[in-house]
Amino acid sequence: MAEMNFGGVIETVVTSKEFSLEKAHEVLKNETIAVIGYGIQGPGQACNLRDNGFNVIVGQREGKTYEKCLKDGWVPGKTLFPIEEACKKGTIICMLLSDAGQIAVWPKIKPYLTAGKTLYYSHGFAINWQDRTGVVPPSDIDVIMVAPKGSGTSLRTMFCEGRGLNCSYAVYQDASGNAEEKTIAFGIGIGAGYLFKTTFQREATSDLTGERGSLMGAIEGLFEAQYDVLRAHGHSPSEAFNETVEELTQSLMPLFGEKGMDWMYANCSTTAQRGALDWAPRFREAIKPVMEWLYLSVKTGNEAQIAIDKNSQPDYRDKLNKELEDMRNKEMWQAGVTVRTLRPENN
Ligand SMILES: NC(=O)c1ccc[n+]([C@@H]2O[C@H](COP(=O)([O-])OP(=O)(O)OC[C@H]3O[C@@H](n4cnc5c(N)ncnc54)[C@H](OP(=O)(O)O)[C@@H]3O)[C@@H](O)[C@H]2O)c1
């Protein structure tokens, strides 16, 4: 473990320098890792663990996703099983079904969580809101979490490029007395960048806040507001899209991703710097009350309940597709389609 200074706050983090892959092998040498679900996180974690030499099997129901397992080289009856059979064979049961799917299959898999086994999550959702999800694990098993801070697709791509996605980790229940070491070993096994410690409660709340906030919800709201104002004042779609989205994703975001916001500001025009410095605090003050509202809605379980109710409806996928189609068909994102075709690399 290493002590690192995050802007004056000291945090303990773990990387493969402090906890080697060899050590992870030693800790998990007697474990059969059963990855249940092969959506987005499932393939990333299962393939990285397999490539890192761990003993991994996959549990997936028949259908389209099962075909994806076959394509990735999982062998029926050897490394690929129906969900319940994988839970029976596994000693670490990784719940990588959708959060709504985890609630639906819980009664079926619970009998296989026998003493000494480990229940693993990549989100604090099911456990933190257990009064709503009904997921209450038996007391004689370890319950642990490694939560990648990004998509399972990125976890896999970055692993293949020799890089690592940062992950948080937590122990909810330590029946073996060895749960933390097992958790860190698992994080190293899936190819984490650095691992930082959290709790199921803190992970669930920050994650739901982040995705509703600056990572996804707020950014779409900000884009729409600016694009609409520019269009209402007579600017062309091309101009409005470039000033709202394209310049950010293609030019500015990589700069502050690499070297920080002040560096990006320092490398813009003096006109841009002055205006951005003046307007940043105004946006902060305007947005803060909405952020507080969002955090409260997450903390009280309101957002979790909405996710449970909406995502478990049988026509959830159809309704989602309609909402995404509406987003895709907005003038702003249609302008984006055209702008992308005009990028030199696409010509
Ligand atoms: N998406 C990410 O990159 C990401 C990032 C960090 C953490 N996480 C966490 O990782 C976990 C997995 O997320 P995910 O996004 O990978 O999930 P996902 O893609 O939505 O999960 C889909 C998987 O769940 C199965 N499934 C769904 N409902 C089911 C049911 N009722 N019975 C049986 N199987 C069912 C699907 O099988 P079918 O295809 O057959 O329906 C598929 O294997 C979640 O806890 C999530 O919060 C995800």
Side-chain angles (χ1 to χ4, degrees), residues 94-137:
C94 306
M95 288 302 280
L96 296 181
L97 302 165
S98 66
D99 293 307
Q102 291 174 26
I103 300 170
V105 304
W106 176 247
K108 281 193 227 156
I109 69 135
K110 201 176 169 191
Y112 301 104
L113 298 172
T114 48
K117 286 200 183 189
T118 300
L119 179 60
Y120 166 94
Y121 286 97
S122 282
H123 199 309
F125 195 105
I127 297 288
N128 185 50
W129 286 295
Q130 60 187 188
D131 53 330
R132 296 164 193 269
T133 63
V135 174
V136 181

Side-chain angles (χ1 to χ4, degrees), residues 18-331:
E18 295 85 32
F19 199 108
S20 67
L21 189 55
E22 292 69 41
K23 188 169 173 191
H25 275 287
E26 181 56 30
V27 174
L28 301 177
K29 69 177 179 219
N30 295 323
E31 307 282 0
T32 300
I33 299 167
V35 171
I36 310 301
Y38 209 74
I40 311 291
Q41 277 300 320
Q45 298 196 25
C47 292
N48 289 5
L49 285 161
R50 181 174 63 181
D51 289 357
N52 266 338
F54 293 88
N55 180 20
V56 191
I57 60 173
V58 171
Q60 172 60 44
R61 67 180 171 186
E62 298 264 347
K64 215 169 132 201
T65 310
Y66 189 84
E67 301 301 315
K68 190 164 76 166
C69 299
L70 297 176
K71 269 200 203 114
D72 284 355
W74 301 99
V75 183
K78 220 170 151 202
T79 53
L80 176 59
F81 300 94
I83 290 177
E84 287 169 66
E85 205 176 332
C87 290
K88 193 173 172 190
K89 288 183 185 300
T91 57
I92 301 182
I93 315 297
C94 306
M95 288 302 280
L96 296 181
L97 302 165
S98 66
D99 293 307
Q102 291 174 26
I103 300 170
V105 304
W106 176 247
K108 281 193 227 156
I109 69 135
K110 201 176 169 191
Y112 301 104
L113 298 172
T114 48
K117 286 200 183 189
T118 300
L119 179 60
Y120 166 94
Y121 286 97
S122 282
H123 199 309
F125 195 105
I127 297 288
N128 185 50
W129 286 295
Q130 60 187 188
D131 53 330
R132 296 164 193 269
T133 63
V135 174
V136 181
S139 60
D140 52 4
I141 64 165
D142 289 348
V143 182
I144 64 173
M145 173 179 74
V146 177
K149 296 293 121 188
S151 163
T153 311
S154 315
L155 183 76
R156 181 64 183 158
T157 320
M158 289 169 83
F159 176 83
C160 294
E161 292 168 356
R163 300 189 295 144
L165 190 63
N166 301 332
C167 299
S168 60
Y169 74 94
V171 173
Y172 173 72
Q173 196 166 277
D174 185 3
S176 66
N178 191 32
E180 180 154 349
E181 196 174 43
K182 212 186 290 178
T183 313
I184 295 171
F186 201 102
I188 298 297
I190 65 169
Y194 79 85
L195 287 148
F196 62 96
K197 198 167 178 171
T198 186
T199 62
F200 276 62
Q201 192 272 339
R202 287 207 305 265
E203 196 281 336
T205 357
S206 59
D207 196 69
L208 264 70
T209 303
E211 61 208 9
R212 280 153 182 73
S214 69
L215 302 179
M216 292 172 72
I219 200 162
E220 172 64 16
L222 172 70
F223 285 167
E224 286 178 19
Q226 178 168 311
Y227 184 91
D228 289 351
V229 167
L230 287 170
R231 288 288 288 131
H233 289 275
H235 298 269
S236 67
S238 185
E239 189 161 63
F241 189 82
N242 272 283
E243 292 296 353
T244 304
V245 180
E246 189 74 351
E247 185 173 337
L248 178 68
T249 61
Q250 302 306 298
S251 164
L252 303 180
M253 210 123 88
L255 295 184
F256 65 80
E258 273 307 306
K259 297 190 173 178
M261 194 65 90
D262 67 304
W263 192 90
M264 189 268 271
Y265 276 29
N267 286 277
C268 288
S269 72
T270 48
T271 311
Q273 279 158 13
R274 186 66 265 136
L277 285 164
D278 289 345
W279 277 90
R282 290 172 197 156
F283 277 106
R284 185 188 62 223
E285 293 315 308
I287 292 165
K288 217 167 180 178
V290 186
M291 281 294 170
E292 289 288 356
W293 171 20
L294 163 60
Y295 191 80
L296 196 67
S297 185
V298 171
K299 201 163 175 225
T300 54
N302 185 41
E303 294 297 314
Q305 193 60 51
I306 292 170
I308 292 168
D309 293 344
K310 299 269 176 186
N311 299 356
S312 53
Q313 286 170 5
D315 60 349
Y316 167 68
R317 282 269 153 218
D318 296 338
K319 282 187 183 154
L320 171 74
N321 288 340
K322 172 80 184 70
E323 280 181 278
L324 295 183
E325 192 187 329
D326 291 347
M327 181 186 263
R328 185 162 56 247
N329 288 337
K330 272 187 198 303
E331 184 194 278

